[in-house]
Amino acid sequence: MSRRVVVTGLGVVSPLGCDHNHFYERLIAGQSGVRKIQTFDVSAYNSQIAGEVVDFDIDRYIPKKEQRRMDPFCHYGLAASKMAVEDSGLDFSKEDTTKCGVMVGTGIGGLQVMQTQMETYLAKGPSRFSPFMIPQMITNILPGHIAIEYGLRGPNFCITSACATATHCLGEAMRSIREGEADVMLAGGAEGSICILGIGGFCAMRALSTRNDEPTRASRPFDRGRDGFVIAEGAGVLVLEEYERAKERGARIYCELAGYGRTCDAYHITAPHENGEGAARAMKNAMADAELNPEDINYVNPHATSTQLGDLCEIQAIKTAFGEHAHKLSMSATKSMIGHALGAAGGLESVAVAKMIEQGVVHPTINFEDPDEGCDLDFIPDQARPMKITAALKNSFGFGGHNATLCFKAIA
């Protein structure tokens, strides 16, 4: 841990806007970005709501010719990366690009391209497949696009671990900087799965909320009335940088990324372990990696998907990891306002944590009206709270039993 890692740039494409300041302001205001799906006819689906990206000006970030060669997850991820770089003030033409890399992942990848290409095949036959289909679909193509954009020749790959994707990417990027392999890393996640296949697949699992008449009240983590998660899309990308060089160049530093834990439940392909053991170990490992004790943490940004089993298992894991200190923690669920952006979720939520540390105001958990049994912690309901975060954990858990936790700290 001789090399410290800090956050110097933020980029967001989200249901609450496509600028990190606007995103944060709407979170603090307790606004929901969930609405009835507008992009295709959902009348035949059990779940008809989502956190769709709105007000996204793709022409500002990607030339039209290139747009046609990318799936929406790449549109979002490349745009968020450009925002983060601009926010950081970095000029890669003046950097050693062999020490600059990218770890921006996706949980599902080019699902919309897969869908449209199959529709083309069924209508016109195999001769009409696009030669760009495979490069558009594969999950690792996004960090490739980002690297090409800036000529970044350092560590570059895609971690895909379902809903833990972006958090794993951030943690592994931090390790690359710590170990001296890189000085600057763009890290986070992107997802664009609000389409026939994405909604249809999750509906078939009965995983999604069916509160279609009240979209803004559908995502309700830890509330007794929750009935599934609300799917979302977008991208969250952070610029991570070695602390001394960031300080030397006069960079604005949002916070420090100080710890990372990663574990597996080895239990079930979609359900978390009933006692949250793997998630608790991830939190303990992240705190140990940051050389902090449980009582040093005063805020947790939970995974909090608004599913019956997932929320209860996470609360049990938090109580296991923190013991009595769990009741002294403050926590708030970003997904209550934007829904669950799958592989992008950890990136968007990490941006939120960085902003909350910098600004000293913590966003609320909305729709928390009737606490479920055992959900007796401080969830900051309804209203934002002025609060100095000294150290925070960010949890993400994915299908397959993948658990990832980050530890962010205020700069002393």
Side-chain angles (χ1 to χ4, degrees), residues 298-299 330 356-357 359-362 380 385-389:
N298 65 342
Y299 175 80
S330 296
M356 289 187 286
I357 292 174
Q359 295 292 317
V361 181
V362 178
I380 314 181
R385 179 183 300 170
M387 177 182 171
K388 179 177 174 57
I389 298 176

Side-chain angles (χ1 to χ4, degrees), residues 121 124-129:
Y121 163 74
K124 300 179 180 179
S127 65
R128 299 302 295 273
F129 278 126

Side-chain angles (χ1 to χ4, degrees), residues 69-97:
R69 298 178 178 180
M70 297 180 189
D71 183 88
F73 87 93
C74 284
H75 295 161
Y76 302 151
L78 183 54
S81 297
K82 289 186 173 184
M83 294 178 205
V85 171
E86 181 179 0
D87 186 48
S88 74
L90 283 166
D91 180 353
F92 285 116
S93 69
K94 299 177 181 178
E95 299 289 342
D96 177 0
T97 54

Side-chain angles (χ1 to χ4, degrees), residues 24-43:
Y24 174 70
E25 288 166 4
R26 294 188 67 186
L27 287 175
I28 293 301
Q31 296 180 15
S32 174
V34 178
R35 64 177 187 171
K36 185 166 183 179
I37 293 170
Q38 306 292 307
T39 49
F40 63 99
D41 181 10
V42 291
S43 58

Side-chain angles (χ1 to χ4, degrees), residues 297-302 318 322 325-333 362-363 365 377-380 385-389 391-393:
I297 308 295
N298 65 342
Y299 175 80
V300 173
N301 187 275
I318 289 170
F322 285 94
H325 186 66
H327 292 276
K328 299 179 181 179
L329 293 169
S330 296
M331 63 183 71
S332 53
V362 178
H363 75 63
T365 302
L377 304 181
D378 177 15
F379 297 110
I380 314 181
R385 179 183 300 170
M387 177 182 171
K388 179 177 174 57
I389 298 176
L393 295 189

Side-chain angles (χ1 to χ4, degrees), residues 222 263 265 272-285 287 294 300-304 309-327 329 331 373-377 379 393 395-397 402-405:
F222 311 117
T263 67
D265 290 345
H273 197 286
E274 57 190 8
N275 66 10
E277 182 273 337
R281 278 191 296 115
M283 286 182 265
K284 290 179 179 179
N285 291 351
M287 288 186 281
V300 173
N301 187 275
H303 189 53
L309 184 59
D311 287 2
L312 294 179
C313 289
E314 184 169 14
I315 292 301
Q316 180 58 52
I318 289 170
K319 291 178 177 179
T320 299
F322 285 94
E324 287 301 313
H325 186 66
H327 292 276
L329 293 169
M331 63 183 71
E373 184 177 356
C375 297
D376 55 354
L377 304 181
F379 297 110
L393 295 189
N395 288 334
S396 294
F397 313 127
H402 307 296
N403 307 305
T405 299

Side-chain angles (χ1 to χ4, degrees), residues 173-315:
M174 178 196 75
R175 288 164 64 97
S176 289
I177 295 173
R178 269 191 187 172
E179 295 167 6
E181 187 181 22
D183 293 329
V184 178
M185 294 291 296
L186 276 69
E191 205 75 82
S193 299
I194 299 177
C195 61
I196 291 170
L197 290 179
I199 302 299
F202 281 114
C203 279
M205 292 179 65
R206 300 187 181 278
L208 300 179
S209 172
T210 58
R211 196 183 285 254
N212 298 317
D213 295 334
E214 299 179 297
T216 61
R217 300 183 68 235
S219 185
R220 42 197 319 113
F222 311 117
D223 185 85
R224 196 181 303 271
R226 68 193 185 280
D227 69 332
F229 77 86
V230 175
I231 193 171
E233 62 185 354
V237 177
L238 293 77
V239 173
L240 305 183
E241 194 169 348
E242 193 275 322
Y243 173 60
E244 294 297 336
R245 78 181 301 280
K247 188 168 64 171
E248 183 177 350
R249 73 176 182 88
R252 175 180 54 190
I253 296 174
Y254 288 95
C255 59
E256 180 176 357
L257 179 50
Y260 170 44
R262 52 188 183 175
T263 67
C264 183
D265 290 345
Y267 174 72
H268 191 274
I269 59 169
T270 57
H273 197 286
E274 57 190 8
N275 66 10
E277 182 273 337
R281 278 191 296 115
M283 286 182 265
K284 290 179 179 179
N285 291 351
M287 288 186 281
D289 190 41
E291 298 184 348
L292 296 175
N293 297 313
E295 57 269 23
D296 297 320
I297 308 295
N298 65 342
Y299 175 80
V300 173
N301 187 275
H303 189 53
T305 58
S306 188
T307 59
Q308 288 290 336
L309 184 59
D311 287 2
L312 294 179
C313 289
E314 184 169 14
I315 292 301

